[in-house]
Amino acid sequence: MKTQTADPVSIEIHRKALENITSEMAIALTRTSGSPVVYEVQDFATSLLDVDGEQLAMSATVLFHAGSSLLGTQAIIESLDGASPSEGEGWIVNDTFEGGAQHQGDVAIIMPTFYQGDHVGWAFTNVHVLDVGGMGVSGFAPGAKTVFDEGVRFPATKIMRDGELDPEWVKYISANVRIADLVINDLRAMIAANNVAQKKLVDLIDRFGFEDFREFCEINKTLTEEAFRSRIAKLPDGVYETAEWVEYDGQRKAELLELRCRLEVRDTDIHISFTGVPQTTGFVNAGKGVVYGAVMCTILTTLGYGDLPFNAGIWRPITIDLGEPGTIVNAVSPAACTSGHANCGVRVTRAAKDVFDQACGLSDDPVLRSRVGAMAHDSIVLNPLAGIGHGGVPTVVFFMDLTTGHGGGAQSIFDGQDSYGLTCTPGVGLPNVETNEAQQPALYLWRRLVPQSGGPGTFRGGQALELAYTVYETDLLDGAVTAGCTETPARGVAGGLPGAGSSWSSYHDTNVEQLLEEGRQPLKKVLEGDEPTQKNNEGRIELQETDVIRMRGGGGGGLGDPLMREPELVARDVRDRYIDSAHAETVYGVVLDGDEADADATEKRRAQIREQRLGAAPSQSASAPRDVGVSVVVDADEDWCCAYCEHSLGSLSANWRDSATVNERPLVEAYAELDMGVRDRVEAPRVMLAEHFCPACAGLLVADLYPEGFSGYVAPRLGAVDVAPLEVPA
């Protein structure tokens, strides 16, 4: 075949063709899977890699798998020890420690691809299967103490020969999971998706020719690397640091497990390092694939902004250091890890978001400054259950409403997205109520947005979702519940406040049946029943018929000082019942006259709030900053400077927070005044909210969130800075 000319158009067509193949893999997967987790929620990923295990393209449903597809394929290559795979072979991988998986519930089938007998690459398909055995239903085991409690583990394990699943492995897996038919069918659906990759790759290579195929793959990696490096070059050289906390109360006590993150920018390279407390005897520990995937989620959604292709070139400017083995961010066997991605991993995402926000906010490039955004809630509330379903058939009840049902962070041009989901799951959808009810012994009582769950700000954080369902037409379902970020919600940025926290509760011996017989809707205001005090992570919960489970998501963080929000937007939120009038006046300083903002009363109320912030009248007026979402800038004298009034906040060698007026108090007390939900801790340390105000204009510079006793956040250190290794948090 005649070789194509290596012109830009052909190269771009080739790149898009590879992306389209991963999309066609996803279509095949959804049409062959029998699991609503796949065809309704779309909790999966598909990817293509070359013979060396370098990524060529990936579908965008779950970005976490940027890490697991890379490390899982590399594990297979290493296991081959230089040998070549054969046609018809395939491997199963779900092990966090030896396969880069997110957790055991995320199972991948990885198969080699061929062209005219030559090995040309790898096809990767991953699905959250409905069960992997062990003590935790659907791959979540809040009560697990080690990985051996958590279900079947597969490091890179050959499961296919001659294009078929090995019947002995099918027998073994079937004997170790609760719903064998659905699990085995999902394995076959993944094989079908990879077979689509094989067929479509042959068509693509026939079109371009083998040599041009390989050349264009390399060219596109290089182009992505160059585009990404050009973007990094617009970030100020320097060091940016932050901290986050993983909540876990599944065993001995309610822990806040600290992790720290540092971003170093040098010319066109970025180095990201992490440290964490020692790994815990709970299911929240993260492995390498989790952290790699979490970092890439943040890069793609902060610096990628839709026009940066995903392939191996995007990894080349990045180095990632996980610190010493044996911590929550670099866990080693036998650490429990079935929620390492959904607890520690999403905390890594939030920490990475914070340090990139700091760097983008100080960039000379207006596009990068506009990419500053508040944190999404980035957590989950899940209630995986097992029991007998319709028709007396064993079932797993795994409703993923509260994977999607969390608020997104406020952006520099609009409010955060309601029911946004997670940073790592841009393609995951909200399941259909009727589909869930038709398949499972459960009846939804309500599903609604939660008022006042989004963090207040110039732009408000996205609102969260709440749902409740009752066990219906079955005697008993049992399983677990896990909720993250009930006490440490999503932080805002540049004066935006945190969102509300997530929560859950159960009701037993209820009046649901009586209400239904009377034709009354069983809403919370009329629902009666025993409501026991529950931990955030319950390893064992039993629900009998008419018992109710209620799950509430958390809101996204706000962006910018709430006193800078347009009064008309606040009035609209009150009309839409997103907030109430008391909340509008308390945090936004907006006084309503009927359905509209009262301009004079609002001006007076906001002046009163500013005076309360400082304990005296401000000496300067606050104006809207040049860039919404950037409250602290560097002035012409190379000092830190308030973006609202240009008041100096000290030398660049100092922490500008030391020059601010601070109001520190327990978060739960502050949010009681705002009627925003956040769970109080039952033991020390309490979670604190520290609002830092400009001492001249009373503009809210940042609202910090941390456990009592935390050493404090530090300001960026700009320029070429020698830094010591991150210390493991105490």
PDB file of all heavy atoms in Angstrom, residues 32-46:
ATOM      1  N   THR A  32     -23.385  -5.162  25.364  1.00  0.00           N
ATOM      2  CA  THR A  32     -23.264  -6.588  25.685  1.00  0.00           C
ATOM      3  C   THR A  32     -23.310  -6.860  27.184  1.00  0.00           C
ATOM      4  O   THR A  32     -23.555  -7.993  27.596  1.00  0.00           O
ATOM      5  CB  THR A  32     -21.965  -7.167  25.108  1.00  0.00           C
ATOM      6  OG1 THR A  32     -20.855  -6.378  25.544  1.00  0.00           O
ATOM      7  CG2 THR A  32     -21.995  -7.187  23.591  1.00  0.00           C
ATOM      8  N   SER A  33     -23.065  -5.837  28.004  1.00  0.00           N
ATOM      9  CA  SER A  33     -23.118  -6.034  29.455  1.00  0.00           C
ATOM     10  C   SER A  33     -24.559  -6.099  29.926  1.00  0.00           C
ATOM     11  O   SER A  33     -25.431  -5.398  29.412  1.00  0.00           O
ATOM     12  CB  SER A  33     -22.392  -4.890  30.166  1.00  0.00           C
ATOM     13  OG  SER A  33     -22.624  -4.951  31.564  1.00  0.00           O
ATOM     14  N   GLY A  34     -24.795  -6.916  30.944  1.00  0.00           N
ATOM     15  CA  GLY A  34     -26.113  -6.972  31.559  1.00  0.00           C
ATOM     16  C   GLY A  34     -26.168  -6.205  32.864  1.00  0.00           C
ATOM     17  O   GLY A  34     -27.160  -6.279  33.584  1.00  0.00           O
ATOM     18  N   SER A  35     -25.120  -5.458  33.184  1.00  0.00           N
ATOM     19  CA  SER A  35     -25.044  -4.766  34.464  1.00  0.00           C
ATOM     20  C   SER A  35     -25.430  -3.304  34.310  1.00  0.00           C
ATOM     21  O   SER A  35     -24.872  -2.593  33.460  1.00  0.00           O
ATOM     22  CB  SER A  35     -23.620  -4.854  35.031  1.00  0.00           C
ATOM     23  OG  SER A  35     -23.472  -3.992  36.131  1.00  0.00           O
ATOM     24  N   PRO A  36     -26.355  -2.793  35.151  1.00  0.00           N
ATOM     25  CA  PRO A  36     -26.699  -1.370  35.078  1.00  0.00           C
ATOM     26  C   PRO A  36     -25.532  -0.462  35.435  1.00  0.00           C
ATOM     27  O   PRO A  36     -25.526   0.711  35.066  1.00  0.00           O
ATOM     28  CB  PRO A  36     -27.851  -1.230  36.084  1.00  0.00           C
ATOM     29  CG  PRO A  36     -27.741  -2.413  36.982  1.00  0.00           C
ATOM     30  CD  PRO A  36     -27.160  -3.508  36.163  1.00  0.00           C
ATOM     31  N   VAL A  37     -24.551  -0.978  36.153  1.00  0.00           N
ATOM     32  CA  VAL A  37     -23.351  -0.195  36.425  1.00  0.00           C
ATOM     33  C   VAL A  37     -22.653   0.178  35.120  1.00  0.00           C
ATOM     34  O   VAL A  37     -22.034   1.234  35.003  1.00  0.00           O
ATOM     35  CB  VAL A  37     -22.389  -0.985  37.342  1.00  0.00           C
ATOM     36  CG1 VAL A  37     -21.057  -0.262  37.500  1.00  0.00           C
ATOM     37  CG2 VAL A  37     -23.025  -1.203  38.707  1.00  0.00           C
ATOM     38  N   VAL A  38     -22.812  -0.670  34.113  1.00  0.00           N
ATOM     39  CA  VAL A  38     -22.190  -0.420  32.815  1.00  0.00           C
ATOM     40  C   VAL A  38     -23.143   0.341  31.897  1.00  0.00           C
ATOM     41  O   VAL A  38     -22.845   1.449  31.447  1.00  0.00           O
ATOM     42  CB  VAL A  38     -21.750  -1.742  32.153  1.00  0.00           C
ATOM     43  CG1 VAL A  38     -21.153  -1.474  30.767  1.00  0.00           C
ATOM     44  CG2 VAL A  38     -20.729  -2.453  33.031  1.00  0.00           C
ATOM     45  N   TYR A  39     -24.320  -0.228  31.613  1.00  0.00           N
ATOM     46  CA  TYR A  39     -25.164   0.378  30.578  1.00  0.00           C
ATOM     47  C   TYR A  39     -25.953   1.588  31.080  1.00  0.00           C
ATOM     48  O   TYR A  39     -26.399   2.397  30.276  1.00  0.00           O
ATOM     49  CB  TYR A  39     -26.100  -0.653  29.939  1.00  0.00           C
ATOM     50  CG  TYR A  39     -27.144  -1.272  30.832  1.00  0.00           C
ATOM     51  CD1 TYR A  39     -28.279  -0.578  31.207  1.00  0.00           C
ATOM     52  CD2 TYR A  39     -27.009  -2.586  31.268  1.00  0.00           C
ATOM     53  CE1 TYR A  39     -29.246  -1.148  32.005  1.00  0.00           C
ATOM     54  CE2 TYR A  39     -27.967  -3.173  32.070  1.00  0.00           C
ATOM     55  CZ  TYR A  39     -29.084  -2.451  32.439  1.00  0.00           C
ATOM     56  OH  TYR A  39     -30.042  -3.033  33.236  1.00  0.00           O
ATOM     57  N   GLU A  40     -26.129   1.734  32.403  1.00  0.00           N
ATOM     58  CA  GLU A  40     -26.810   2.911  32.942  1.00  0.00           C
ATOM     59  C   GLU A  40     -25.804   3.948  33.435  1.00  0.00           C
ATOM     60  O   GLU A  40     -25.803   5.088  33.010  1.00  0.00           O
ATOM     61  CB  GLU A  40     -27.719   2.507  34.105  1.00  0.00           C
ATOM     62  CG  GLU A  40     -29.075   1.999  33.686  1.00  0.00           C
ATOM     63  CD  GLU A  40     -30.058   3.128  33.415  1.00  0.00           C
ATOM     64  OE1 GLU A  40     -30.001   4.173  34.081  1.00  0.00           O
ATOM     65  OE2 GLU A  40     -30.892   2.963  32.506  1.00  0.00           O
ATOM     66  N   VAL A  41     -24.942   3.553  34.368  1.00  0.00           N
ATOM     67  CA  VAL A  41     -24.027   4.492  35.018  1.00  0.00           C
ATOM     68  C   VAL A  41     -22.786   4.742  34.178  1.00  0.00           C
ATOM     69  O   VAL A  41     -22.195   5.810  34.213  1.00  0.00           O
ATOM     70  CB  VAL A  41     -23.647   3.959  36.416  1.00  0.00           C
ATOM     71  CG1 VAL A  41     -22.694   4.902  37.122  1.00  0.00           C
ATOM     72  CG2 VAL A  41     -24.903   3.745  37.260  1.00  0.00           C
ATOM     73  N   GLN A  42     -22.347   3.748  33.413  1.00  0.00           N
ATOM     74  CA  GLN A  42     -21.160   3.813  32.567  1.00  0.00           C
ATOM     75  C   GLN A  42     -19.877   3.940  33.395  1.00  0.00           C
ATOM     76  O   GLN A  42     -19.003   4.762  33.124  1.00  0.00           O
ATOM     77  CB  GLN A  42     -21.270   4.939  31.542  1.00  0.00           C
ATOM     78  CG  GLN A  42     -22.451   4.778  30.603  1.00  0.00           C
ATOM     79  CD  GLN A  42     -22.292   5.507  29.286  1.00  0.00           C
ATOM     80  OE1 GLN A  42     -21.549   6.470  29.182  1.00  0.00           O
ATOM     81  NE2 GLN A  42     -22.981   5.035  28.268  1.00  0.00           N
ATOM     82  N   ASP A  43     -19.767   3.107  34.407  1.00  0.00           N
ATOM     83  CA  ASP A  43     -18.564   3.046  35.229  1.00  0.00           C
ATOM     84  C   ASP A  43     -17.583   2.070  34.596  1.00  0.00           C
ATOM     85  O   ASP A  43     -17.491   0.909  34.974  1.00  0.00           O
ATOM     86  CB  ASP A  43     -18.935   2.608  36.649  1.00  0.00           C
ATOM     87  CG  ASP A  43     -17.744   2.657  37.604  1.00  0.00           C
ATOM     88  OD1 ASP A  43     -16.622   2.932  37.146  1.00  0.00           O
ATOM     89  OD2 ASP A  43     -17.939   2.414  38.807  1.00  0.00           O
ATOM     90  N   PHE A  44     -16.867   2.559  33.593  1.00  0.00           N
ATOM     91  CA  PHE A  44     -15.917   1.707  32.881  1.00  0.00           C
ATOM     92  C   PHE A  44     -14.911   2.580  32.162  1.00  0.00           C
ATOM     93  O   PHE A  44     -15.010   3.815  32.155  1.00  0.00           O
ATOM     94  CB  PHE A  44     -16.636   0.789  31.875  1.00  0.00           C
ATOM     95  CG  PHE A  44     -17.385   1.515  30.793  1.00  0.00           C
ATOM     96  CD1 PHE A  44     -16.728   2.035  29.688  1.00  0.00           C
ATOM     97  CD2 PHE A  44     -18.771   1.673  30.863  1.00  0.00           C
ATOM     98  CE1 PHE A  44     -17.411   2.699  28.677  1.00  0.00           C
ATOM     99  CE2 PHE A  44     -19.467   2.338  29.862  1.00  0.00           C
ATOM    100  CZ  PHE A  44     -18.783   2.851  28.766  1.00  0.00           C
ATOM    101  N   ALA A  45     -13.945   1.956  31.535  1.00  0.00           N
ATOM    102  CA  ALA A  45     -12.977   2.673  30.698  1.00  0.00           C
ATOM    103  C   ALA A  45     -12.478   1.743  29.613  1.00  0.00           C
ATOM    104  O   ALA A  45     -12.410   0.516  29.794  1.00  0.00           O
ATOM    105  CB  ALA A  45     -11.799   3.177  31.528  1.00  0.00           C
ATOM    106  N   THR A  46     -12.137   2.322  28.480  1.00  0.00           N
ATOM    107  CA  THR A  46     -11.516   1.577  27.386  1.00  0.00           C
ATOM    108  C   THR A  46     -10.297   2.356  26.911  1.00  0.00           C
ATOM    109  O   THR A  46     -10.297   3.588  26.914  1.00  0.00           O
ATOM    110  CB  THR A  46     -12.490   1.378  26.210  1.00  0.00           C
ATOM    111  OG1 THR A  46     -12.948   2.655  25.755  1.00  0.00           O
ATOM    112  CG2 THR A  46     -13.686   0.543  26.623  1.00  0.00           C
TER     113      THR A  46
END
